[in-house]
Amino acid sequence: MDREKLIVPNQIGYLILKEDGAVLESGGDLKNDERSANVIMGLLNLTESIDESFMPYSSCERITIDYEQHYYSICMSNRRIYIVKISKSHNGITTTTSSSSSNSVYNDASDSGAVLA
């Protein structure tokens, strides 16, 4: 992985997307990973469709998809979508989180079942 593209400690991959989902840059585990970009864009589109009466005045600033060994952090800035895959392992020691979920699945009508892992 290019050291100059490291965004956060323990980063093992990244994607930078345009607002329409086109991949601008990528590296590490997410190098040229169009499938993950499409799954994440579907997730972002889903968050935009939440009924305002259900969650008034809420705007998503960051999405985290949590797995046992790693997690994805997704945020938007300057009309770009930044996706970072981060290892939970620090010097070979895996940290734990309070999340009980070890597998996150996103489904939409155009995809029978996509899993980010």
Side-chain angles (χ1 to χ4, degrees), residues 48-96:
E48 292 296 316
S49 66
I50 294 175
D51 184 6
E52 279 292 318
S53 64
F54 175 68
M55 294 179 71
Y57 309 110
S58 65
S59 176
C60 182
E61 292 181 14
R62 180 180 13 202
I63 297 174
T64 301
I65 303 171
D66 194 29
Y67 291 91
E68 188 174 325
Q69 301 295 321
H70 64 275
Y71 62 96
Y72 295 88
S73 182
I74 306 161
C75 64
M76 189 169 186
S77 177
N78 296 324
R79 302 178 64 132
R80 300 286 186 254
I81 300 163
Y82 296 88
I83 303 149
V84 182
K85 183 176 180 181
I86 303 166
S87 172
K88 291 182 180 179
S89 176
H90 300 283
N91 298 326
I93 300 169
T94 302
T95 59
T96 58

